[in-house]
Each structure stands twice: as C-alpha cells, then as structure tokens.
Amino acid sequence: MNETRHIRADWIAVDWGTSHVRAWAMGPNGARAEARSDHGMGGLARDAFEPVLLSLVTPWLGSRETPVIVCGMAGARQGWAEAPYRTAPCAAAPDAAISVSGTDPRIDVHILPGVKQVRPADVMRGEETQIAGFVTQESDWDGTLILPGSHCKWVQLSAREIVSFRTTLTGELFAALSDHTVLRHSMGPGWVNSAFDEGVAEGLKNPESLSAKLFGLRAEGLIGSLTPDAARAQLSGMLIGWELAATRPYWLGTDLCLIGDAALSALYARALAAQGASARTLDATDLTLVGLTSAYQALQKVL
Amino acid sequence: MNETRHIRADWIAVDWGTSHVRAWAMGPNGARAEARSDHGMGGLARDAFEPVLLSLVTPWLGSRETPVIVCGMAGARQGWAEAPYRTAPCAAAPDAAISVSGTDPRIDVHILPGVKQVRPADVMRGEETQIAGFVTQESDWDGTLILPGSHCKWVQLSAREIVSFRTTLTGELFAALSDHTVLRHSMGPGWVNSAFDEGVAEGLKNPESLSAKLFGLRAEGLIGSLTPDAARAQLSGMLIGWELAATRPYWLGTDLCLIGDAALSALYARALAAQGASARTLDATDLTLVGLTSAYQALQKVL
C-alpha cells in the first residue's frame, strides 16, 4: 500500500507580491515545503485572497489553528487587509502585524506593515521583511542595503534602524523601454559586458544627456556598428548608471550589501565596482524567511 | 439623376509613417481630397504597400499615369523600397527621390530619402520633408526647428542646410511609463499646469535625480497630496525638462520654431518660455504638403 507522507506546518510564511505569491510550510528548522502561484495582489479582489491562500496551503493544515505570517502587497490598501505603513526612521524589525478577522478557523492570518517615508515621499511593502531578516543576522552592521528588482530600494541602515530610503524604477523602466518603444527593434537576447560598462559610465557622468542618448541606441543599430546584444547591455548600463547618479549619497563611502536575484545583483555589483565601491550579495528569499520567522517569534511572545 | 463628382489628382502626395498612412489628391491649388488608413509601415510586408496605396487613391486616378511622391517610413530598409539616407550636414530640400519600379501602370511612385547623421548617430524619415517645406516658405531663416511627437527632433538649420540634429524618445517614454509601469496607477486623465511647470524645472535642474523622482510620483499619490491629474502633468514636465537638459545647445540663444501637433507643441512652448526662450508654432501637415509639393516640382523639372 502506498502511503502519502503528509507535510504539516507549525506555521506558514507568505510573501505576497504584486504579481506572485509564495508560501512556505515552516517547522522548527525552517521551510519544509513551498508552494507558489501567479495570483499576485495586482489581480485579486479583497475576497479572493483567502481562497488563493487556502488553495496553496490546505495540504499543510492540521487539526489545530495554524498561524500565517504574511508580508508584501497583501497589506496594501487595495489588498487583503490594510496594514498601515510604519514611518521611517523606524526599527528595522516590525513591532506589530495586523490580524485578519473572519477567516477559515484553520488559519490565523497576520499581515506585516510596510514602511513609508514622508519626505521625500517613498514607500515599501515586502522589502522591510528582508531588511528585518538582514538585521536579525547582522545586528551590528551599518551601511546601505540595495534591493534591486522591478523597483530598486536603497536603504540606509544604522543601529538597526531604517534611517532613510529611496526607490527607483530602473527594472520597470528597462522593460518598458525594451518592450514598448522603438528600442524594441534594437534589442538582442544576449549581452556584452563592455557595452554595459560604457552605459554605466555614460548614465552616471552625463545624466542630462541620456534623453537623447536613448534614441542613439536605435540610430547606432541602424547606421552604426552597435549590435542588438550590445544595445541591450548598454541600455541596462545607462539606466543603472543614471540610478547611481540619483543615489550617490547612498553608496559613496559606505558599506554596501545587495539583496536580490543573483544575476541582477551582479550587474549592480559590477556597476558599483567600476566606481570603486564593493558590495557583497545575499539571497532575498533566504532573508524574507528569516524576517518572517522573526516576526512569527515576536508574535508568539505577545500571544 | 444623381451625378457623382469625381476628384482627379494631378499628382498624389503620401506621408507613410510607422503607424499610419495619409494620401492627398493634389491639384494646382493644393490638396483636393485626403484619404488615410492605419496601415502604417510597421505592419506591412514589402508587397503590401502597393495594394494599400491603391485602396486609398484609386478613385483619384485617371487615364494618364499619375505621379505619387512619398515621404516617411515607406523608404526604410524594411519598407516598400529603400531610399538611402542623405547625410547631414545636407541641403534641407531633398535632391533626389528613388523611383519604385514594376508598379501598376496608372501610378509612378517616387520615395523621398531620410536624413542620417553619423556622429552622434541619428536618423529621420518624414521630418526632413516638413523641414524642406519650412525652408520653401522661409528661405532666410536660421535657428532650431523642434518637431515633437513620439520621437522629438531638434534640428539646427542654417543657410537652408540641416547642420545637425538630435532625437529624443520623450513621447514614447511618457507613454511607456504611463501605461507599462507602476505609475499607471497614479495617472489621471486631466492636467495641472503648475505641476507641469514644477516637473520641467525639476527635470532640467536635476536630471541626475530623476530616476528616483519617478517613483516619487507614485509615493506622493499614495501617502502625499499629489492628485492623479497633477501626477500626469508632472511626469510630462519632468520628461520634457530632462529633454531640455539634453538639448540645451539647440535652444539656448537661438531662434526657435515648433512644428507639430498644436497641444503637444504648446507644452514645449510653455516649457521653453519658462527658460526665457520663445518659439512660434507651425502645423506639421501643412509643411509636409509644402515639402512634398516642392519635391514634386523638382521632379517635374528633371523629367
């Protein structure tokens, strides 16, 4: 007789982004199983969050109520239940989660708040949990955390506080230019490091001329010698260089740590290295789980 | 008995862009009729151009062969027949058109070349005909022509020559950011002039910080007081201000003339006026027809 070995969760960790949701069955030694779907917050009505969650985690539920700790966009105003922002400067570790009432009795859902900054106006939801995870691991570290992605967060961390932060649109901007402007005809699938480096130098040194240089990528492809692979790398470099121009106070003369996808983090590390700044890289998922575990443990103390 | 009054064309003027094509039945006093479709060059295979043209102009054809003068993307390498670029610096009025062979005997098609610039690399197809039209009307004018649109051309004109030019992606960039990034949630349909003015000043003075200011539009809408209509105007202003930073040598201390859509030209005029630069505005279609007429007359002299 075949026996299905059931995985039970002591508690469930959830990272609910705009385009995806990931859940983990957690035990005393970390994640026992993972489930994910593309039912991100962006496409869900308020009453659709619970069914989506249950479709992912039901196999892990037992007879007792299972705590569920959620970070990310599920706490936005248009999400499952609003978890109002904390205001920076603030402790890196969240001090409170909001409890979602009226759910299926098998789950006890808590959503972590994001962080806002009033001036200059800025917001994050999800990244604060990676930052909390980082601080749990390295409580004495001061410097700047860089969290690249569709949006890139630059976070000044000191004495376990988020002192200030800025967000850039670089990832989305690269995608929008590559897919939805005339540059789409000039982009190849490959990559040329030297073209990336040139782009970084250009974006950082001459941000005022970038607006004209962008069309230049198209023109160089039509009448010059720029290959499609080099054009793609150069565009990426220009936008990251432009971002470095905007975030100079965050990376100049400061300890740096990148948290994110390995390939994208490597590009930022390369661009920073060319300015004489070195950054190590940590995995975002690992830190999200550390941050959610930290929040779960804090919650257990309260209950 | 009803009589249909047939319009005949002495010759036919055509402006074939990437997304649209427009044709005019021309007589001694200008356009007698107009036809258009959305069969732009972008979606057409090489052998589809002639059928599209005939579907628009057949009612205007008579027993004798009718000359057809075409400007724009039909002359691109992927267009109907390649009309190789002239190289700037060059005369504003085109000196040669390429003849398309093997067409329907009722039409005699000539396509005007675009203009390229080697360093910095740049290209235009279609705008050079508006410029030729402008020079036909104002042969003694020196200064900078600004042709806003999805791509905006800045053209230094002197002694009836295109001396140099630069293209920016501002129009496409505004559309890509408004429609394909998180900013789409922050944009209203309306407009706030003061927000546009602030954006222009910001983009022109601090182009290095724009990369972070873009996400700020989203954050200001979420936690601040920026309305969606103001966000849209401010984004437009930022991008035009950024463009003014890139094109400063083209507009500083020079006579300026805008050629384009009235509403878009008014935004550029407003942004320039804030810098103390005044520009008058001329209609792009009018100048396209003057430029095509000029090319037709030059062709008649040759034949």
Side-chain angles (χ1 to χ4, degrees), chain B residues 87-249:
Chain B
T87 303
C90 62
D95 48 10
I98 67 115
S99 175
V100 181
S101 58
T103 59
D104 186 294
R106 292 171 297 170
I107 53 176
D108 177 28
V109 178
H110 300 263
I111 303 182
L112 296 175
V115 176
K116 73 177 175 190
Q117 175 175 275
V118 176
R119 208 176 163 79
D122 217 322
V123 293
M124 65 170 80
R125 279 201 188 274
E127 294 90 350
E128 76 293 329
T129 302
Q130 297 170 32
I131 297 166
F134 178 87
V135 170
T136 302
Q137 289 188 340
E138 314 206 20
S139 62
D140 291 333
W141 191 89
D142 289 353
T144 293
L145 300 179
I146 309 164
L147 297 84
S150 295
H151 306 158
C152 181
K153 306 285 177 187
W154 294 75
V155 184
Q156 188 195 351
L157 196 68
S158 178
R160 279 166 285 174
E161 278 211 338
I162 294 173
V163 178
S164 72
F165 66 103
R166 285 317 305 265
T167 305
T168 63
L169 277 178
T170 305
E172 275 198 330
L173 189 56
F174 177 76
L177 282 165
S178 303
D179 296 342
H180 300 288
T181 75
V182 70
L183 297 184
R184 69 188 181 280
H185 303 300
S186 303
M187 300 284 126
W191 194 262
V192 178
N193 271 332
S194 60
F196 174 79
D197 295 343
E198 277 170 43
V200 170
E202 183 63 41
L204 184 52
K205 279 190 205 145
N206 301 311
E208 76 289 350
S209 67
L210 266 197
S211 179
K213 292 274 165 62
L214 290 174
F215 187 82
L217 294 173
R218 172 66 176 153
E220 285 280 6
L222 283 172
I223 65 169
S225 58
L226 191 68
T227 66
D229 292 348
R232 178 162 169 266
Q234 199 167 339
L235 175 62
S236 169
M238 279 181 182
L239 298 180
I240 290 179
W242 190 34
E243 176 174 7
L244 293 189
T247 56
R248 200 182 293 264

Side-chain angles (χ1 to χ4, degrees), chain A residues 78-103:
Chain A
Q78 287 79 29
W80 190 352
E82 186 176 5
Y85 296 108
R86 297 185 297 134
T87 303
C90 61
D95 48 10
I98 68 115
S99 175
V100 181
S101 58
T103 59

Side-chain angles (χ1 to χ4, degrees), chain A residues 218, chain B residues 16-18 41 49 71-80 125-126:
Chain A
R218 171 69 176 152
Chain B
W16 213 313
T18 301
M41 168 270 186
F49 283 83
C71 70
M73 296 302 291
R77 197 170 300 166
Q78 286 80 28
W80 190 351
R125 279 201 188 274

Side-chain angles (χ1 to χ4, degrees), chain A residues 1-201:
Chain A
M1 185 181 115
N2 284 328
E3 186 191 15
T4 303
R5 186 178 285 270
H6 278 295
I7 292 163
R8 297 274 174 240
D10 292 351
W11 65 283
I12 291 167
V14 179
D15 182 6
W16 213 312
T18 301
S19 56
H20 290 83
V21 52
R22 298 170 75 182
W24 295 266
M26 302 297 289
N29 300 315
R32 291 172 171 160
E34 183 187 341
R36 61 170 78 196
S37 90
D38 57 0
H39 287 296
M41 168 270 188
L44 293 184
R46 181 150 299 189
D47 58 6
F49 283 83
E50 188 177 350
V52 167
L53 180 68
L54 287 172
S55 74
L56 293 175
V57 308
T58 294
W60 307 334
L61 302 179
S63 52
R64 293 196 315 180
E65 187 183 67
T66 303
V68 179
I69 315 292
V70 183
C71 70
M73 296 304 290
R77 197 169 301 167
Q78 287 79 29
W80 190 352
E82 186 176 5
Y85 296 108
R86 297 185 297 134
T87 303
C90 61
D95 48 10
I98 68 115
S99 175
V100 181
S101 58
T103 59
D104 186 294
R106 292 172 295 169
I107 53 176
D108 177 28
V109 178
H110 300 263
I111 303 181
L112 296 175
V115 175
K116 73 177 175 189
Q117 175 175 274
V118 175
R119 209 177 162 79
D122 217 322
V123 293
M124 65 170 79
R125 279 202 188 272
E127 294 90 351
E128 77 294 329
T129 301
Q130 298 169 32
I131 296 166
F134 179 86
V135 170
T136 301
Q137 289 188 341
E138 315 206 20
S139 62
D140 291 332
W141 192 89
D142 289 353
T144 293
L145 300 179
I146 309 164
L147 296 84
S150 295
H151 307 158
C152 182
K153 306 285 177 187
W154 295 74
V155 183
Q156 188 195 350
L157 196 67
S158 179
R160 281 166 283 174
E161 279 211 338
I162 295 173
V163 178
S164 72
F165 67 103
R166 284 319 305 266
T167 304
T168 62
L169 277 177
T170 305
E172 275 198 332
L173 188 57
F174 177 77
L177 282 165
S178 302
D179 296 341
H180 300 288
T181 73
V182 71
L183 296 185
R184 69 187 181 278
H185 303 301
S186 303
M187 300 284 126
W191 194 261
V192 178
N193 270 332
S194 60
F196 174 80
D197 295 342
E198 278 171 41
V200 170

